[in-house]
């Protein structure tokens, strides 16, 4: 077994009795109640999922294995020559809950190198898709096309002990994670660079190799590392993470589960919001007469109100759980302040940040008037030449796969069962409400 798998096996053995005890001895303890509003309103805040990999506090934002974003970035071993941590080290943290040593990170990075070769048929599938296919549809199709590689399916069909489900799931998860950057970069170069593909450099780390295959110079390698880490996990209830968990709960393998989670991420209310932000900004730029003409606060207020008055949402603002500025927005803002403080598009985002929360408060609908992760992410990509904003959600998807696959591996280790909530009819609700 690999060092990481050994470590994970130790952690799983130590954790299992905690879950078993809660289930056996405290199974009927009430955790919360569900109101009519939550039932009709998309299950907002209903406590119905368990994960130890990340926790989202409405006021503080995300913690990965107990660490805030600044702590995570600070504690993990850095890639030589860069300022950001190894994504491989972050994967170690999410899976095991421990901050890896330099030696641990090297061992995971070496393991990834042995797993990263993408089968040729995946590229053939992508080339066969219509040229106007959305990059998220391409990513999802590429992932599901690899379902035949699943080690879990082979071992399950041969007769696998339930206690061992997590082991081939771990193998599938790492195999898939190691391949995603090359698949994503291939989609980009195929779709936007006339098929001029840059082969992977096996000596580079995950973020470094992705930047290399995209054909974008440093510090884009650090941008890739930051993106993959920031977008990885946001506890289990968001659409992409929840979809991945739900599909995997049927013991569908991780290729099916990851493809499905990407499909959920591709919605404009979720991951696609990062491309919507840039598309919205471009509309403002066109009206202003070019990106170098920065709108005043008064001008920006008018654009925001026009959007709201036409019945649309302001992309990049609001959140189902958060009730303050997203620390993932903040981390990217700090990156912008360091590398591109005078960049016109950053100024646009800055003016938008100054006026939007007050307007959303005045409008009185959004529960959270603050920006989320997607409000800032496109600016950095644009600055480094990645102006094809249809592609932005793919970057989110590669990152999100890290959290979803760590969760699925643990779901299998702790024996979480098939997910099956109960539905009621409107008649029944009216009876409960005392109307009928
Ligand atoms: N602009 C205008 N109106 C907004 C709004 C925004 N940014 N955010 C919320 N509202 C509105 C909602 O549309 C809703 O209106 P109705 O009552 O007319 O239906 C009302 O305010 C209450 O919504 P809420 O309870 O505050 O928010 P939800 O939990 O229902 O939805 C969303 C959360 C993120 C989907 C929502 O804030 C939104 O649509 N934001 C814009 C899109 C976006 O940025 N999505 C990315 C979110 C982060 C993420 O998941 N990234 O992947």
């Amino acid at each position: 077994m690999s060092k990481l798998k050994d470590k994970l096996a130790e952690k799983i053995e130590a954790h299992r009795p905690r879950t078993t005890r809660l289930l056996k001895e405290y199974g009927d303890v009430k955790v919360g109640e569900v109101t009519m509003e939550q039932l009709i309103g998309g299950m907002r805040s209903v406590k119905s999922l368990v994960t130890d990999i990340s926790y989202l506090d409405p006021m503080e934002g995300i913690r990965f294995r107990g660490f805030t974003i600044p702590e995570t970035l600070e504690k993990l071993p850095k890639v030589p020559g860069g300022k950001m941590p190894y994504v491989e080290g972050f994967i170690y943290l999410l899976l095991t809950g421990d901050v890896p040593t330099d030696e641990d990170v090297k061992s995971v990075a070496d393991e990834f190198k042995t797993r990263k070769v993408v089968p040729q048929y995946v590229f053939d599938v992508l080339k066969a898709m219509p040229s106007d296919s959305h990059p998220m549809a391409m990513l999802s199709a590429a992932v599901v096309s690899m379902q035949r590689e699943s080690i879990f399916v082979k071992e399950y069909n041969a007769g696998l002990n339930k206690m061992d489900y997590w082991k081939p799931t771990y193998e599938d998860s790492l195999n898939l994670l190691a391949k995603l950057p090359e698949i994503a970069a291939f989609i980009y170069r195929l779709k936007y660079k006339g098929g001029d593909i840059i082969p992977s450099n096996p000596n580079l780390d995950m973020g470094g190799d992705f930047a290399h295959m995209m054909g974008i110079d440093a510090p884009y390698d650090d941008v890739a590392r930051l993106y993959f880490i920031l977008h990885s996990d946001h506890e289990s209830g968001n659409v992409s993470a929840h979809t991945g968990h739900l599909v995997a709960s049927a013991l569908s393998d991780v290729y099916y589960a990851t493809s499905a989670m990407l499909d959920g991420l591709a919605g404009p209310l979720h991951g696609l919001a990062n491309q919507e932000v840039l598309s919205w900004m471009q509309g403002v730029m066109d009206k202003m007469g070019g990106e170098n003409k920065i709108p005043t606060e008064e001008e920006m207020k008018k654009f925001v109100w026009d959007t709201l008055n036409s019945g649309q949402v302001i992309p990049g603002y609001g959140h189902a759980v958060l009730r303050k500025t997203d620390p993932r927005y903040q981390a990217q803002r700090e990156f912008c302040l360091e590398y591109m403080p005078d960049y016109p598009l950053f100024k646009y985002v800055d003016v938008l940040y100054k006026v939007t929360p007050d307007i959303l408060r005045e409008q009185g609908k959004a529960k959270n008037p603050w920006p989320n992760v997607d409000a800032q992410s496109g600016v950095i990509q644009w600055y480094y030449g990645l102006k094809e904003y249809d592609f932005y959600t793919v970057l989110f998807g590669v990152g999100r796969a890290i959290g979803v696959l760590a969760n699925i591996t643990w779901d299998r280790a702790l024996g979480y069962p098939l997910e099956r909530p109960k539905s009621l009819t409107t008649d029944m609700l009216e009876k409960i409400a005392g109307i009928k």
Side-chain angles (χ1 to χ4, degrees):
M1 279 215 279
S2 73
K3 268 182 79 179
L4 174 57
K5 199 171 177 183
D6 276 344
K7 177 89 181 184
L8 192 53
E10 250 175 58
K11 294 279 176 182
I12 288 168
E13 283 308 315
H15 194 107
R16 274 179 174 156
R18 295 173 64 195
T19 305
T20 310
R21 184 172 184 213
L22 286 170
L23 200 57
K24 294 251 156 77
E25 294 176 35
Y26 301 92
D28 52 4
V29 172
K30 286 211 172 77
V31 179
E33 289 177 343
V34 184
T35 63
M36 201 70 80
E37 187 185 1
Q38 290 174 312
L39 203 147
I40 298 172
M43 296 188 280
R44 287 295 179 289
S45 307
V46 175
K47 297 184 183 80
S48 53
L49 294 159
V50 192
T51 177
D52 297 293
I53 289 174
S54 67
Y55 181 75
L56 180 59
D57 180 88
M59 299 313 290
E60 188 190 53
I62 192 71
R63 277 184 183 260
F64 300 120
R65 288 289 190 179
F67 298 119
T68 62
I69 287 171
E71 286 165 357
T72 304
L73 297 179
E74 195 256 327
K75 282 184 191 302
L76 289 171
K78 309 288 174 300
V79 181
K83 292 184 182 170
M84 291 295 158
Y86 279 95
V87 180
E88 292 88 335
F90 179 70
I91 292 170
Y92 184 103
L93 172 69
L94 286 197
L95 276 169
T96 67
D98 289 351
V99 175
T101 62
D102 288 341
E103 200 195 319
D104 293 329
V105 174
K106 189 179 172 315
S107 150
V108 185
D110 286 347
E111 195 178 336
F112 263 65
K113 283 170 193 162
T114 65
R115 296 175 184 266
K116 72 199 255 180
V117 178
V118 179
Q120 178 57 40
Y121 66 79
V122 177
F123 301 134
D124 295 340
V125 166
L126 290 171
K127 284 188 205 154
M129 290 183 78
S131 60
D132 62 352
S133 300
H134 192 281
M136 283 300 280
M138 296 173 82
L139 184 62
S140 175
V143 169
V144 86
S145 78
M146 286 192 290
Q147 188 278 331
R148 62 190 289 285
E149 309 289 334
S150 174
I151 297 170
F152 176 82
V153 170
K154 289 183 189 93
E155 294 195 8
Y156 183 84
N157 288 342
L160 185 62
N161 186 317
K162 199 174 174 189
M163 299 297 272
D164 291 332
Y165 281 179
W166 73 269
K167 291 177 183 164
T169 303
Y170 164 91
E171 298 295 339
D172 282 349
S173 297
L174 261 64
N175 283 341
L176 177 53
L177 279 179
K179 293 174 177 57
L180 282 178
E182 182 166 352
I183 295 171
F186 184 91
I187 292 170
Y188 179 72
R189 305 281 311 179
L190 177 70
K191 196 167 164 63
Y192 305 110
K193 299 290 166 189
D196 178 14
I197 307 300
I198 304 173
S200 157
N201 176 346
N203 299 317
L204 294 173
D205 69 291
M206 192 171 169
D209 197 21
F210 179 70
H212 158 75
M213 290 182 286
M214 291 290 288
I216 309 177
D217 293 337
Y220 192 74
D221 48 355
D222 260 351
V223 171
R225 293 173 193 123
L226 178 68
Y227 261 52
F228 295 157
I229 291 173
L230 289 184
H231 290 92
S232 61
D233 211 33
H234 222 218
E235 60 171 49
S236 298
N238 63 80
V239 169
S240 52
H242 189 194
T243 307
H245 166 80
L246 170 68
V247 173
S249 84
L251 291 187
S252 301
D253 60 66
V254 304
Y255 296 93
Y256 283 127
T258 305
S259 176
M261 86 81 179
L262 291 166
D263 299 342
L265 190 68
L269 294 186
H270 191 19
L272 206 78
N274 59 11
Q275 87 165 52
E276 303 271 303
V277 170
L278 254 291
S279 148
W280 188 88
M281 285 290 182
Q282 226 177 23
V284 176
M285 280 175 204
D286 290 347
K287 285 177 200 131
M288 290 299 298
E291 68 177 55
N292 289 322
K293 175 98 177 44
I294 316 294
T296 61
E297 289 188 26
E298 283 314 307
E299 284 166 331
M300 189 60 101
K301 277 181 191 168
K302 186 177 171 331
F303 292 124
V304 172
W305 273 118
D306 285 350
T307 301
L308 292 176
N309 290 336
S310 65
Q312 296 168 59
V313 295
I314 306 299
Y317 281 75
H319 201 271
V321 179
L322 277 169
R323 293 295 175 258
K324 65 160 240 180
T325 296
D326 191 335
R328 300 172 300 174
Y329 174 93
Q330 210 64 44
Q332 294 181 85
R333 182 178 160 80
E334 274 154 31
F335 190 94
C336 291
L337 285 169
E338 184 174 348
Y339 288 96
M340 57 196 83
D342 299 321
Y343 188 52
L345 195 58
F346 177 54
K347 297 233 149 117
Y348 266 66
V349 169
D350 207 35
V351 181
L352 187 66
Y353 184 41
K354 287 192 178 120
V355 305
T356 303
D358 279 346
I359 296 178
L360 287 177
R361 266 194 295 248
E362 192 182 329
Q363 193 208 26
K365 280 170 74 175
K367 294 194 186 68
N368 176 39
W370 301 105
N372 59 58
V373 64
D374 297 316
Q376 186 75 243
S377 58
V379 179
I380 303 181
Q381 299 300 332
W382 195 272
Y383 180 78
Y384 290 107
L386 211 158
K387 296 190 174 179
E388 302 86 355
Y389 50 71
D390 274 10
F391 186 74
Y392 292 174
T393 315
V394 169
L395 302 168
F396 195 153
V398 175
R400 182 49 51 97
I402 297 171
V404 168
L405 291 167
N407 270 291
I408 294 175
T409 304
W410 271 94
D411 292 348
R412 297 264 159 96
L414 298 178
Y416 291 161
L418 185 79
E419 202 174 279
R420 182 50 167 103
K422 178 87 186 91
S423 50
L424 300 176
T425 64
T426 305
D427 254 357
M428 290 169 183
L429 290 185
E430 285 168 344
K431 278 189 192 125
I432 293 170
I435 302 168
K436 282 198 169 174

